[in-house]
Amino acid sequence: MPPGKLRLLITAGPTREYVDPVRYISNESSGKMGHALVAAAVQRGHRVTLVQGPVALPRPSGARLISVISAADMHAACAAAWPWHDALIMAAAVADYTPARRLPAKRKKSSSKYTLHLKPTVDILAELSRERRPGQVVVGFALEDHAARRRAAAKLRRKGLDAIVLNRPEALGAIRVGVEILVQGGAWECVPVGSKAQLGVRLVRLVEHLYRQS
Ligand code: CTP
């Protein structure tokens, strides 16, 4: 790689956790933040791998794209790619739970109650952070609706991150967002409301800075 150019692993979008062949659990993530990060990173000359869940967005240009469906798929794709990258930006909204059992055929309706059993998914961010080699940079996101800074700071420590980007539920699908960033060992910094494109550039520059320091 040319000096100053990084290999970035970026994740985007939701995951889908199938209950049966036609029904799934998912979330509101649009994938726009991940795509803004990819555009900014490609623009700055970095080599980018995008691992994304199902999104209704055009294929981003200039990046290697790995499309996945479930949290387990995303975990496998990220774990395989991670050794060849300098930094991870985990913008995907990975499902925290998945059905304990996926039914092989469409479930028929009945008049009795139906309890869905869920099991936790692997925390991809925490695992890749734990397994990183010296110098690899890891940035995560936190979506919090209350006690936001305290919870996000705890998440940064628990997952051993270099930085965490705190946003609110309103950010999902939004065009413009305001976030707060905490770098490990630093203080909270507010990024005023702006486009996801602007935030993408800001975060890619932050990753470049963290990489130089690592
Ligand atoms: N994440 C992940 N794997 C999961 C769940 C989350 O890699 N199975 C990542 C997300 O991509 C994000 C960060 O962890 O970068 C924080 O996700 P968030 O949903 O805010 O937090 P959780 O750790 O899932 O905890 P909680 O939902 O209880 O706040």
Side-chain angles (χ1 to χ4, degrees):
M1 288 294 286
K5 303 301 175 202
L6 305 178
R7 294 162 301 180
L8 300 182
L9 178 59
I10 297 174
T11 67
T15 64
R16 272 185 200 172
E17 310 305 318
Y18 275 88
V19 174
D20 70 19
V22 295
R23 302 186 179 97
Y24 56 82
I25 302 169
S26 192
N27 61 64
E28 287 287 338
S29 172
S30 66
K32 287 178 188 161
M33 189 64 243
H35 277 232
L37 285 161
V38 170
V42 169
Q43 171 70 31
R44 292 179 65 75
H46 302 304
R47 193 182 295 173
V48 180
T49 304
L50 171 64
V51 179
Q52 73 175 8
V55 297
L57 295 174
R59 187 192 174 101
S61 55
R64 173 174 170 239
L65 174 65
I66 304 175
S67 294
V68 299
I69 306 287
S70 67
D73 300 338
M74 187 170 279
H75 174 223
C78 288
W82 184 218
W84 320 110
H85 290 81
D86 301 309
L88 167 69
I89 313 179
M90 195 79 206
V94 187
D96 287 332
Y97 294 93
T98 194
R101 196 167 83 86
R102 177 175 168 173
L103 299 175
K106 183 170 173 268
R107 187 178 194 278
K108 298 306 283 180
K109 181 169 61 184
S110 85
S111 55
S112 52
K113 279 188 182 170
Y114 171 29
T115 304
L116 193 57
H117 290 278
L118 304 176
K119 62 180 182 188
T121 57
V122 171
D123 190 319
I124 303 167
L125 181 61
E127 186 189 280
L128 270 51
S129 174
R130 209 166 41 239
E131 294 186 351
R132 67 172 125 171
R133 57 178 154 72
Q136 280 181 310
V137 168
V138 178
V139 174
F141 279 69
L143 185 70
E144 308 287 351
D145 53 7
H146 63 284
R149 281 190 170 189
R150 183 169 59 72
R151 285 172 177 234
K155 210 168 270 183
L156 173 132
R157 282 193 299 276
R158 192 170 67 244
K159 303 194 189 195
L161 310 179
D162 295 297
I164 195 155
V165 183
L166 166 61
N167 59 25
R168 317 277 163 166
E170 305 83 76
L172 290 174
I175 308 290
R176 293 168 67 76
V177 278
V179 301
E180 293 170 82
I181 300 174
L182 181 63
V183 171
Q184 196 273 324
W188 280 103
E189 199 187 330
C190 289
V191 180
V193 174
S195 67
K196 287 189 175 176
Q198 287 169 323
L199 180 57
V201 174
R202 174 79 177 252
L203 293 178
V204 169
R205 284 174 183 264
L206 172 65
V207 168
E208 292 166 1
H209 172 74
L210 293 169
Y211 186 77
R212 280 195 299 273
Q213 287 193 324
S214 68

